[in-house]
Amino acid sequence: MPQDHRPAKSIRVLLAEDQGMMRGALALLLGLEPDIEVVAQVGRGDEIVDAALLARPEVALLDIELPGRSGLDAAGDLRDEVPDCRVLILTTFGRPGYLRRAMEAGAAGFLVKDGPVEELAEAVRKALRGETVIDPALAAAALSAGPNPLTARERDALGASVDGATIADIAGVLHLSESTVRNYLSSAIGKTGTRNRMEAVREARRQGWL
């Protein structure tokens, strides 16, 4: 009698999670499902596309907070580079702004990590069938929160503001003039209702806009 009772064709899954213990636990639990096979694991966002091109997963489970590149940005990369791969965002941060960004990047679903593994496995199956899977409470919160008020350039300017970067530093990174950077930051501060750019960064992150 064969030891492996998997069906003839398992769902091929890529897992991107920067915490090694969490990544290993998720891979182990998903691997116990008879119809799911974790074919690739990465700990950095900038490794996702290369791993997907090599392993050819059908579903990718991506954390948001990853070194190198966020899972939200990587979702857009996968849509362009590996269009047959469905993306599920799996995160600790159930923020409405993140959900909207995930959907804009072409993700098939958005789930928080505190759910049971059975729900995650079923979400993988639904994603492969072409369904959209979203945490109901988060979907309701996203609808009430409204769209992200920040433009892409305002998000770039705020994102480059961390770690004490000067206006000149930000201008150099974004290849913009210092006056343009100041304008973007001023606009972002106004839209977030804060007093300075560091407060704006914190508020944008809290809302999931950044």
Side-chain angles (χ1 to χ4, degrees):
M1 181 125 178
Q3 295 298 312
D4 192 348
H5 301 294
R6 291 181 179 277
K9 186 178 185 304
S10 297
I11 303 171
R12 298 171 61 81
V13 171
L14 177 148
L15 181 59
E17 162 64 55
D18 63 327
Q19 297 182 27
M21 187 175 294
M22 173 68 76
R23 184 171 67 248
L26 284 172
L28 178 63
L29 290 170
L30 286 172
L32 294 175
E33 297 293 319
D35 58 340
I36 294 176
E37 180 184 5
V38 178
V39 295
Q41 300 179 48
V42 298
R44 295 180 56 88
D46 50 10
E47 296 174 346
I48 290 172
V49 170
D50 286 345
L53 288 170
L54 184 64
R56 290 294 171 180
E58 296 163 289
V59 178
L61 294 174
L62 310 183
D63 191 14
I64 289 179
E65 301 288 343
L66 293 169
R69 191 158 178 76
S70 79
L72 294 173
D73 291 331
D77 297 339
L78 284 175
R79 177 188 57 198
D80 297 334
E81 299 290 335
V82 194
D84 291 337
C85 180
R86 301 279 284 172
V87 173
L88 290 174
I89 298 295
L90 181 64
T91 182
T92 305
F93 306 103
R95 297 169 182 166
Y98 281 164
L99 171 57
R100 285 183 174 273
R101 288 174 60 195
M103 296 300 101
E104 289 169 1
F110 192 105
L111 301 166
V112 291
K113 290 180 182 177
D114 59 2
V117 71
E118 292 82 9
E119 288 185 8
L120 178 58
E122 186 57 27
V124 168
R125 299 181 186 107
K126 287 181 177 179
L128 189 63
R129 293 198 297 264
E131 299 178 37
T132 300
V133 188
I134 300 173
D135 179 89
L138 187 58
L143 287 173
S144 63
N148 185 345
L150 302 175
T151 67
R153 274 309 199 180
E154 288 165 356
R155 293 198 301 269
D156 290 342
L158 284 180
S161 295
V162 298
D163 301 326
T166 65
I167 296 295
D169 293 334
I170 300 168
V173 169
L174 300 181
H175 306 291
L176 299 170
S177 70
E178 293 184 24
S179 62
T180 299
V181 168
R182 288 192 182 93
N183 288 338
Y184 284 139
L185 290 174
S186 176
S187 178
I189 291 167
K191 288 179 179 180
T192 54
T194 54
R195 297 173 297 179
N196 56 58
R197 58 179 163 133
M198 297 318 296
E199 287 186 5
V201 168
R202 287 194 292 271
E203 178 62 15
R205 283 179 169 170
R206 188 183 72 81
Q207 295 286 352
W209 296 336
L210 189 61

